[in-house]
Amino acid sequence: MMQDIAMYILDLANNSLYANARNINICLIVDRQVDRLQLSISDDGQGMEDFIVEQATDPFYTTRKTRKIGLGLAFFKALADQCDGEFTLKSKKGVGTTVMIDIRNSHIDTPPIGDLSSTLITLIQADDLVDYRFTYRYDHQEFEFDTRKIKSMLDDVKINELNILLWIKEFLSERINELQEGKR
Ligand SMILES: Nc1ncnc2c1ncn2[C@@H]1O[C@H](COP(=O)(O)OP(=O)(O)OP(=O)(O)O)[C@@H](O)[C@H]1O
Ligand SMILES: [Mg+2]
């Protein structure tokens, strides 16, 4: 199992990158009123054939060449089973993939949110040709971050240049803290 939600995001977005996605949407919704935490990651990567979708959450199914087991999706599904929730995997070959969980927020096994801004910075840094939209809703407040908007403000500078990344990191930390302030 993974320590926090941010690490699940990193792991699942890494699957999307591995599938050559150019656009990755990450959506995290925490609603304490209905006591749910929803996380979805969708991409426009190569997708999976139907028969692979069925096996993809099996720990012994992987298309990686470096290791014989693939645990990312299996862990994510296990988290849903453990936390009174549901797991959904939708994928279409040549179109993309969406993976989602909807779990009970107050469940004892529901992991803490973790360091979302570090996860996002790590992803942005990895490849400046990939775009991310990150939507984070906590109760009635919402924050949206889109790398396309940042890129449109940068002239000749790449989004993964260190000083830009440091600026984004500070911006994200600030906005995310604001959203989470005094909650949970
Ligand atoms: N977003 C995605 N797009 C296309 N195929 C995917 C995606 N996510 C997972 N898969 C397919 O499902 C398989 C299992 O994924 P999973 O994350 O469980 O394991 P892995 O990535 O192979 O290994 P690990 O996550 O342990 O490094 C992958 O090998 C890949 O074939
Ligand atoms: Mg994986």
Side-chain angles (χ1 to χ4, degrees):
M1 282 290 171
M2 272 174 256
Q3 278 154 10
D4 55 48
I5 296 293
M7 291 176 82
Y8 281 97
I9 294 175
L10 190 57
D11 193 63
L12 295 165
N14 191 38
N15 281 349
S16 301
L17 291 174
Y18 200 75
N20 294 314
R22 281 302 174 106
N23 294 281
I24 303 177
N25 293 338
I26 300 161
C27 181
L28 176 61
I29 299 174
V30 180
D31 189 324
R32 292 179 300 170
Q33 186 109 51
V34 295
D35 196 19
R36 304 306 289 176
L37 181 153
Q38 276 174 22
L39 173 63
S40 70
I41 285 102
S42 58
D43 68 55
D44 62 350
Q46 67 190 16
M48 297 175 237
E49 309 270 12
D50 290 346
F51 77 96
I52 292 181
V53 174
E54 274 159 44
Q55 301 170 60
T57 53
D58 180 336
F60 296 104
Y61 180 80
T62 179
T63 48
R64 291 170 62 112
K65 304 283 188 302
T66 46
R67 267 190 277 142
K68 281 278 175 290
I69 47 171
L71 291 173
L73 290 176
F75 276 178
F76 203 47
K77 184 168 188 279
L79 180 68
D81 292 339
Q82 203 178 348
C83 301
D84 205 3
E86 267 172 54
F87 167 89
T88 315
L89 173 63
K90 285 185 196 149
S91 189
K92 210 175 155 84
K93 187 83 192 160
V95 179
T97 301
T98 298
V99 51
M100 188 171 136
I101 55 163
D102 182 331
I103 60 181
R104 187 149 62 83
N105 186 50
S106 67
H107 196 285
I108 185 110
D109 294 319
T110 294
I113 302 289
D115 191 348
L116 293 170
S117 56
S118 293
T119 283
L120 291 168
I121 289 297
T122 303
L123 291 169
I124 295 166
Q125 182 172 31
D127 188 343
D128 69 309
L129 296 176
V130 178
D131 280 305
Y132 292 90
R133 192 172 69 215
F134 172 62
T135 309
Y136 188 12
R137 194 159 90 220
Y138 210 121
D139 294 342
H140 297 300
Q141 264 176 296
E142 189 173 294
F143 166 59
E144 196 182 275
F145 173 80
D146 194 328
T147 53
R148 272 158 294 229
K149 283 195 191 141
I150 306 289
K151 285 175 184 174
S152 73
M153 303 184 329
L154 303 171
D155 291 329
D156 273 340
V157 197
K158 287 198 165 166
I159 192 166
N160 57 355
E161 269 189 29
L162 185 57
N163 57 334
I164 306 295
L165 288 171
L166 290 172
W167 175 79
I168 297 172
K169 173 89 206 279
E170 200 168 298
F171 171 73
L172 285 172
S173 302
E174 219 164 87
R175 297 301 305 273
I176 289 168
N177 283 340
E178 245 171 58
L179 205 68
Q180 294 176 336
E181 211 136 66
K183 300 190 179 110
R184 227 157 188 261

